[in-house]
Amino acid sequence: MSTESTDPVEPPAVVTPVPEESETDESPKNNNWLKFVIVGVLAIVLVGGGVWALTSLNSTGVGDCVSASPKDVDKPDGDWNISSKSCGDADATHRVASMLKNAEDQCPAEGIYEQMQSDGKSMCLMPNLAEGNCYTSSDDGAFKKEACTKDSPVKIVKKVDGLPEEGSVCPEGSSELRFTEPASVYCMGVHEGS
């Protein structure tokens, strides 16, 4: 008898060692660094935005357009709500005509000026009017731009820089609205058309 077996022999199982964990780009140590960078960038953006918002009015100067209204309609000589706007913006109700050195100074006598104070600044505002546009007068006295229709009460038919002799520049049937600062004349007529 032979002691040899005909059963197949299985090779012994091979055990492979488990590799040790090594630091990768996604390790907690690197993620903490990334979190600090993100928080830092967000802080810079928020602080920069806040500084811009606080100084945006401080950069308002002569000729700039603003949206302006009294904080209390019953006290128009008090503080005003004011924000810078593009002159073509429908909300740009006024244009800064002059900056006053102090609250006791007065706006020019000729023209429709609003003397206002905002954030410690005193300034004279004039209506933001443009040739070819139509306007209505709102309850707070501001001219509001509107679409030109047959019912439009006022249309600026002509604008002239400077202060030429009264009655010499506006077309017949229109009236003059004169401002000494900045020196300009607006010819106000009625919109003719649909």
Side-chain angles (χ1 to χ4, degrees), residues 13 19 22 29 41 65-66 68 81 83 102-103 130 156 160 183:
S22 62
K29 194 175 198 179
V41 168
C65 292
V66 297
N81 295 315
S83 59
N102 57 57
I156 305 300
V160 178

Side-chain angles (χ1 to χ4, degrees), residues 79-186:
D79 269 1
W80 282 47
N81 295 315
I82 184 167
S83 59
S84 295
K85 299 284 181 186
S86 164
C87 289
D89 191 322
D91 292 333
T93 56
H94 294 81
R95 186 180 298 256
V96 178
S98 64
M99 303 297 287
L100 302 175
K101 292 181 183 170
N102 57 57
E104 290 76 38
D105 288 348
Q106 297 294 310
C107 291
E110 189 173 23
I112 303 172
Y113 295 99
E114 294 287 345
Q115 185 165 339
M116 55 81 54
Q117 295 177 30
S118 180
D119 297 330
K121 287 184 165 188
S122 295
M123 57 184 86
C124 296
L125 300 180
M126 63 186 287
N128 178 30
L129 304 173
E131 188 174 319
N133 289 342
C134 293
Y135 299 90
T136 56
S137 181
S138 64
D139 293 339
D140 61 5
F143 283 90
K144 303 277 187 189
K145 182 179 170 187
E146 66 169 27
C148 291
T149 67
K150 64 181 180 178
D151 298 325
S152 296
V154 175
K155 179 176 183 177
I156 305 300
V157 294
K158 186 176 181 182
K159 179 193 181 247
V160 178
D161 292 328
L163 283 175
E165 184 179 328
E166 221 171 302
S168 66
V169 293
C170 288
E172 188 175 327
S174 64
S175 58
E176 293 183 356
L177 179 57
R178 299 171 70 84
F179 292 90
T180 53
E181 202 171 317
S184 52
V185 176
Y186 292 87

Side-chain angles (χ1 to χ4, degrees), residues 58-71:
N58 292 337
S59 64
T60 301
V62 173
D64 291 342
C65 292
V66 297
S67 171
S69 61
K71 288 184 179 178

